[in-house]
Amino acid sequence: MIARTLPRPRPALWPFIPILAGFVLVAVFAPLIAPHDPDAQNLLGRLKAPGTTARDTFYLLGSDELGRDLLSRIVHGARISLAVAIASVVASGIIGTALGMVAALRGGWTGTIIMRVVDIVLSIPPILLAIITVAVLGPGIVNVVVVLALTRWPRYARVAYGQTLSVVTMPYLRIARFTGAGPVRLLWRHVLPNIIGPIIVVATLEFGLMVLFEAGLSFLGLGVQPPTPSWGSILSTGRNYVSTAWWIATFPGLCLFLLVLSVNVIGDTLRDRVDRGSD
C-alpha cells in the first residue's frame, strides 16, 4: 500500500498581495497621502482620540503626546521601514550570494574560511549582534542598513553555497571552463541565473525580518532617531500611554503585523513553488 503525502494547506494568497502593494504605494507617495506634516506639533491637541478635531486639525487615527497627527507619522514611518528593509535585503543578498558562490566555486581553504565565518555569525543571535553593532557604530538610518546587512548575509551565503555546489558539476559549466571563461564570467553568466530562484525566496522571507529588526532597533532607541517617524519609535512612545492613549501603539503595531504577515505568506508560497519546480 502506497502512502500518499497530502499537500500542505496554504492560506489564500490573493488578500496579501493587495495589502503589500498598498503599503508600497503608501511609502512611495507618503508626502501626497499624509494629511499633515508628521513633525508638526499641536500641544492643545495632544493625546486626542481617533476621529477628533483640535485647532482645526482633524485626527483620523488620533494624536500623540506632542499633538502630532498619528496617521501622518504612520504613513511616513512606512517609507522608513520599507526603505531600510529593501536596502538591507539588497545589500545582504549581494554580499551573501557572492561569498557563497565564491566558496563553492573555489573550494579549498577559501571555501572553508568563508563557510566557517558563516557558521560563527549564525551562531550569534541576530538581534543581539545587531544591537551590539549599532551601539558601536551609532544610531541612524544608514548605520541600521549596514548593521542589518552585516548580520543577515550568512543566510544567503549558505543557500548560494549549496545551490552552486549542485551547479558546478553540470556539463555546460565544464564546457564554459574549457572555452576559457574566467571565474567572474562563470559566476555571473552561468551560476547566478541558475540559483537566483532560491535566492529570491530567501530575500522575500528576509524582508519581513528586516522590517521587524528595524522596528525593534528603533523601539530600543538604536535605530531611526526622533523626530523622524518610524513604526518602532512610535510603538516605543505608545507603550507609555497604553492605558490612556491606546491608539498610539495599536495602529502602528497593526500595520507592522499586516506587512510582515503579507510578506511571509507570499514568501512561503514562492518557496513551495520553487520546491515543486525542483522536484
Side-chain angles (χ1 to χ4, degrees):
M1 184 176 180
I2 301 177
R4 294 183 177 181
T5 303
L6 297 177
R8 183 167 62 91
R10 296 189 300 271
L13 187 61
W14 65 266
F16 300 101
I17 294 179
I19 292 175
L20 179 59
F23 279 114
V24 173
L25 292 176
V26 167
V28 172
F29 299 103
L32 302 177
I33 296 175
H36 306 289
D37 183 353
D39 298 327
Q41 301 180 11
N42 178 13
L43 296 181
L44 294 180
R46 62 188 304 270
L47 300 179
K48 293 296 182 180
T52 59
T53 302
R55 293 184 60 183
D56 298 329
T57 301
F58 178 68
Y59 299 108
L60 180 62
L61 298 183
S63 62
D64 62 7
E65 80 285 3
L66 297 177
R68 296 172 296 191
D69 181 50
L70 186 60
L71 175 59
S72 300
R73 293 187 64 78
I74 291 176
V75 168
H76 281 269
R79 166 174 284 194
I80 297 296
S81 296
L82 290 178
V84 170
I86 291 173
S88 57
V89 164
V90 171
S92 59
I94 292 175
I95 296 172
T97 302
L99 290 177
M101 291 191 301
V102 170
L105 187 65
R106 295 294 300 271
W109 282 106
T110 301
T112 301
I113 292 173
I114 292 176
M115 297 315 296
R116 293 300 76 78
V117 173
V118 168
D119 294 336
I120 292 173
V121 177
L122 289 177
S123 65
I124 305 174
I127 188 62
L128 177 61
L129 182 60
I131 291 174
I132 295 174
T133 308
V134 79
V136 174
L137 297 178
I141 297 178
V142 176
N143 287 347
V144 169
V145 173
V146 172
V147 166
L148 294 180
L150 292 178
T151 55
R152 299 306 298 174
W153 67 267
R155 179 89 181 272
Y156 298 91
R158 270 196 169 180
V159 175
Y161 179 78
Q163 294 294 321
T164 303
L165 285 178
S166 63
V167 171
V168 292
T169 57
M170 294 296 178
Y172 65 85
L173 200 63
R174 296 178 181 176
I175 294 175
R177 282 176 170 172
F178 289 146
T179 57
V184 176
R185 182 178 177 84
L186 286 175
L187 294 176
W188 180 255
R189 295 292 300 273
H190 301 284
V191 176
L192 184 60
N194 290 281
I195 69 170
I196 194 64
I199 297 298
I200 292 176
V201 173
V202 174
T204 305
L205 296 173
E206 284 286 301
F207 184 85
L209 288 177
M210 296 300 99
V211 174
L212 288 176
F213 283 165
E214 184 278 325
L217 292 174
S218 297
F219 183 87
L220 296 174
L222 298 174
V224 179
Q225 297 299 293
T228 304
S230 170
W231 288 350
S233 60
I234 298 175
L235 284 169
S236 180
T237 300
R239 64 177 175 173
N240 300 320
Y241 300 94
V242 172
S243 59
T244 57
W246 55 267
W247 53 88
I248 299 178
T250 299
F251 291 121
L254 182 61
C255 291
L256 189 62
F257 166 75
L258 290 175
L259 176 59
V260 175
L261 177 64
S262 301
V263 172
N264 287 343
V265 171
I266 294 173
D268 286 340
T269 304
L270 289 176
R271 180 179 58 189
D272 292 342
R273 292 181 179 179
V274 170
D275 290 342
R276 289 201 304 268
S278 61
D279 290 341

